[in-house]
Amino acid sequence: ENVVVEETEELTPMSALAVVLQNALYSDGLRRGFNECCKALDSKRGRMCCLATNCEEEPLKKLILALCAEYDVPVVMVDTREKLAKMAGLAKLNEDGEVKKSGKCSVAVVTDFGEESSALTYVLNWVKNQ
């Protein structure tokens, strides 16, 4: 008898968000940095915005939040810029998947979620209930 054991990792909001951002990146639906994100939000293409809580530029942070409020784009706050950079694909990894060189990213906007996934459903429900 062959017994199949399914490995289902318990989804947390941040692990699910990482999957959603990677899928968006693969489908060319992820904008990173203030300039690209402001353009995406202003052209009403933003579907979800991720903002780092330790963003150093307070006026730009207020601008992003105002654009998200105006165009009804949900905002997900991420702990650090380094964590957001890793989730948005800006960190360089070694062969073992460990972070070799970490960039910093204060804001990322999803314009296209890519493929439907359980992580996407989880994140959208989580954002809706916040």
Side-chain angles (χ1 to χ4, degrees):
E1 282 179 36
N2 290 339
V3 178
V4 178
V5 178
E6 288 186 23
E7 281 189 59
T8 55
E9 182 181 315
E10 186 67 31
L11 283 178
T12 65
M14 289 301 130
S15 68
L17 182 63
V19 172
V20 169
L21 292 181
Q22 285 300 314
N23 288 344
L25 181 64
Y26 295 146
S27 64
D28 195 33
L30 185 65
R31 303 293 171 253
R32 302 168 291 193
F34 281 111
N35 194 19
E36 282 187 35
C37 290
C38 284
K39 285 180 189 176
L41 289 169
D42 205 30
S43 64
K44 300 179 185 175
R45 290 183 299 137
R47 308 263 312 270
M48 182 174 71
C49 178
C50 300
L51 189 61
T53 55
N54 66 344
C55 172
E56 295 167 352
E57 299 290 331
E58 199 59 38
L60 294 176
K61 188 175 177 180
K62 287 180 181 176
L63 174 65
I64 292 290
L65 289 172
L67 284 170
C68 288
E70 183 175 339
Y71 297 119
D72 238 3
V73 177
V75 178
V76 176
M77 299 305 283
V78 179
D79 297 336
T80 63
R81 294 167 54 205
E82 293 80 10
K83 188 182 274 189
L84 183 55
K86 183 179 178 189
M87 287 192 282
L90 293 174
K92 302 226 186 288
L93 306 175
N94 62 16
E95 300 83 34
D96 303 326
E98 307 275 327
V99 176
K100 168 171 74 169
K101 182 178 179 185
S102 179
K104 292 182 173 83
C105 179
S106 294
V107 63
V109 171
V110 177
T111 57
D112 178 14
F113 287 116
E115 66 182 42
E116 292 287 325
S117 66
S118 59
L120 175 59
T121 306
Y122 183 89
V123 168
L124 291 177
N125 288 334
W126 178 69
V127 167
K128 197 183 302 180
N129 294 328
Q130 274 192 326

